Amino acid sequence: MKRTLSVASTATALLLTGLITASPASASDADRKSCINAGSVCVWQNSNYSGSRFAAGGSWGGTCANSFTYGHSVANGWPATIRFYSKDGCSGSYFDIRAHDYSSSTPFAVHSFKLLSS
């Protein structure tokens, strides 16, 4: 019993001094992973996968899709590169996200996207 208290006291002291940090997995990371595992393309309103989310799932054919949420973070669960655009209709500036990759902060508000390659 005395030994258990000593270990608990040591762990508490280390936690309080910052030598051990307790950081639970954030909901945003779980949401990003869920999107990728589902094979979807997701756009979140805010950076770090927060705010409203738009998702295009397996029934999306890869053609240009306007996002209902203009977003600042994205995840690509497709087995191909997706091109994200700054304007509706897949126009304007763009950047690419490879298969099963993501960006927690995009260079501009994403308005649309399409399949680039397979």
Side-chain angles (χ1 to χ4, degrees):
M1 180 79 161
K2 192 172 200 171
R3 183 177 210 166
T4 304
L5 290 175
S6 176
V7 171
S9 296
T10 302
T12 301
L14 289 173
L15 182 61
L16 292 175
T17 60
L19 295 175
I20 296 176
T21 58
S23 55
S26 70
S28 60
D29 284 340
D31 200 25
R32 173 185 51 84
K33 289 175 185 174
S34 173
C35 175
I36 291 173
N37 291 339
S40 298
V41 175
C42 298
V43 178
W44 285 267
Q45 180 181 16
N46 302 316
S47 59
N48 297 314
Y49 319 104
S50 64
S52 298
R53 180 183 83 162
F54 174 80
S59 62
W60 171 61
T63 59
C64 183
N66 290 331
S67 176
F68 295 121
T69 298
Y70 298 152
H72 293 279
S73 53
V74 297
N76 175 14
W78 272 58
T81 300
I82 301 295
R83 180 162 284 174
F84 293 89
Y85 294 89
S86 63
K87 296 183 180 179
D88 288 347
C90 294
S91 62
S93 299
Y94 62 85
F95 65 93
D96 299 333
I97 298 289
R98 295 178 309 223
H100 309 292
D101 208 354
Y102 51 89
S103 174
S104 64
S105 182
T106 62
F108 48 77
V110 169
H111 286 233
S112 57
F113 55 89
K114 70 179 180 180
L115 179 68
L116 184 62
S117 63
S118 51

